[in-house]
Amino acid sequence: LNLALRWLTPSHRTKNEDFKRLFRNELPDESSDAVLIDDYSCAYQKEVLVHGRLYISQDHLCFYANIFGWETMLTIPYLQIDALTREKTAHVIPNALQITMKPDPDKPDSKPKTYFFASFISRDTSFMVIMKAWQNLLMGSPMTGPHLRSFACRVWGATSEVSSD
């Protein structure tokens, strides 16, 4: 059974390669060695819910969706995030997260931008992983090397292939 599950679920290495391929032009050059911590299936609320994947790296949150050729990509640097909150869809279903960005200093009267992501299978786990990565970056010690691998192993399980390539 364990072998079947490993065959059906992509390894961390494969997902990390997908993350780098998708966002290589979206991330700044200094993030070229960014390592995927985890990714989650969720929906970004625009005019409609756009279902895709939220990728969590050491210094960015990235969202990607491709629905019938209509691509949606977001890159959210942790240093620009002001708040991360657990939310509910339709005011009752606890499966959403909201990210509020810091106000734009060039537009002091503007409302801060928010991103609303819903349909998480495990909202609290997603929240914890994002919060941990965000806090580490704010404290000036983004997850790297052994710490990153150790955290990813806890998230992905001890038997998964975790790589920092």
Side-chain angles (χ1 to χ4, degrees):
L1 179 66
N2 192 20
L3 182 61
L5 287 174
R6 289 182 76 185
W7 180 75
L8 289 173
T9 58
S11 70
H12 182 266
R13 182 182 311 266
T14 302
K15 288 190 175 202
N16 193 41
E17 289 168 0
D18 290 345
F19 165 70
K20 287 183 176 187
R21 179 182 47 78
L22 288 169
F23 294 100
R24 72 174 159 253
N25 296 328
E26 302 296 318
L27 296 173
D29 287 341
E30 62 270 12
S31 295
S32 63
D33 60 347
V35 176
L36 178 68
I37 296 171
D38 207 356
D39 69 313
Y40 296 98
S41 175
C42 66
Y44 169 53
Q45 185 169 347
K46 280 179 89 169
E47 298 82 35
V48 296
L49 284 176
V50 179
H51 193 270
R53 296 203 75 77
L54 183 66
Y55 295 89
I56 303 167
S57 76
Q58 304 113 300
D59 51 4
H60 287 82
L61 290 174
C62 300
F63 177 81
Y64 178 77
N66 185 341
I67 301 171
F68 303 117
W70 179 51
E71 288 187 316
T72 301
M73 292 182 91
L74 295 172
T75 304
I76 305 169
Y78 289 129
L79 293 177
Q80 292 179 11
I81 295 175
D82 193 39
L84 171 66
T85 56
R86 294 178 179 109
E87 299 294 334
K88 296 178 180 176
T89 305
H91 302 289
V92 290
I93 304 167
N95 70 348
L97 296 173
Q98 181 169 298
I99 297 167
T100 305
M101 304 305 286
K102 291 179 180 175
D104 186 345
D106 297 331
K107 301 176 186 173
D109 296 334
S110 66
K111 186 177 176 184
K113 184 161 182 65
T114 61
Y115 298 98
F116 190 84
F117 297 96
S119 303
F120 284 96
I121 291 173
S122 178
R123 175 198 65 180
D124 292 337
T125 300
S126 307
F127 177 84
M128 184 267 311
V129 173
I130 295 167
M131 185 64 80
K132 176 80 171 157
W134 181 36
Q135 286 176 337
N136 279 20
L137 190 68
L138 289 178
M139 292 187 315
S141 59
M143 287 192 264
T144 58
H147 184 244
L148 175 62
R149 283 190 286 282
S150 170
F151 187 73
C153 278
R154 282 196 308 265
V155 171
W156 281 82
T159 60
S160 68
E161 293 178 41
V162 177
S163 146
S164 60
D165 304 345

